[in-house]
């Protein structure tokens, strides 16, 4: 089993096995827009998603953020079964998490494979 890393919005990497909390919050200064998702590892918060464009009620935005959090957990779980180190990244254009081999990110040719789309995750 390889290491799993999570990419931050600033293109940094956080080891998934060191994450102790995944949380969402209002991502915009405006009450009616946006959300953000952060991961906390070793006492430090790392922003993974900052979507200030999402409109709607606070409940709708946090429901969407919850779906994105659940999608992240599914992607990390899927990546943990890979033999080589992998990176889980948020793809804003497709609103989904993708898993990429770390060697592909380091420069080897390869294509990221979509793993979880936000709309595919159902939260009860």
């Amino acid at each position: 089993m390889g290491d799993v890393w999570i990419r931050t919005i600033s293109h940094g990497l956080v080891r998934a096995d060191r994450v102790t909390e995944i949380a969402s919050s209002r991502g915009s200064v405006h009450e009616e827009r946006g959300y953000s998702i952060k991961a906390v590892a070793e006492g430090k918060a790392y922003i993974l998603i900052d979507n200030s464009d999402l409109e709607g009620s606070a409940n709708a935005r946090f429901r969407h953020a919850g779906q994105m959090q659940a999608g992240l957990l599914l992607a990390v779980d899927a990546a943990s079964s890979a033999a080589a180190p992998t990176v889980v990244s948020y793809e804003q254009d497709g609103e989904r998490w993708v898993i990429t081999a770390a060697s592909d990110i380091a420069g080897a040719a390869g294509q990221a494979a979509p793993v979880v789309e936000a709309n595919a995750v159902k939260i009860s």
Side-chain angles (χ1 to χ4, degrees):
M1 182 158 43
D3 292 331
V4 179
W5 299 82
I6 303 171
R7 184 175 287 229
T8 68
I9 64 169
S10 62
H11 300 289
L13 296 172
V14 178
R15 285 183 62 121
D17 63 350
R18 294 194 178 149
V19 172
T20 57
E21 178 183 355
I22 298 172
S24 58
S25 64
R26 186 175 50 130
S28 172
V29 295
H30 303 290
E31 186 75 27
E32 70 280 355
R33 294 178 65 132
Y35 71 93
S36 65
I37 295 179
K38 68 179 177 180
V40 178
E42 298 176 344
K44 184 175 178 186
Y46 299 90
I47 303 298
L48 307 178
I49 299 174
D50 185 7
N51 183 342
S52 60
D53 295 332
L54 186 66
E55 295 184 19
S57 69
N59 286 340
R61 289 181 286 122
F62 282 119
R63 186 171 39 254
H64 181 76
Q67 290 174 339
M68 295 308 299
Q69 287 175 269
L72 173 60
L73 293 175
L74 290 172
V76 167
D77 188 48
S80 67
S81 64
T86 55
V87 177
V88 176
S89 305
Y90 173 68
E91 185 179 87
Q92 187 169 358
D93 293 340
E95 281 269 306
R96 61 185 173 189
W97 297 97
V98 293
I99 298 172
T100 308
S103 60
D104 290 348
I105 291 175
Q111 185 74 358
V115 174
V116 178
E117 294 189 25
N119 296 336
V121 179
K122 301 288 184 198
I123 305 288
S124 300

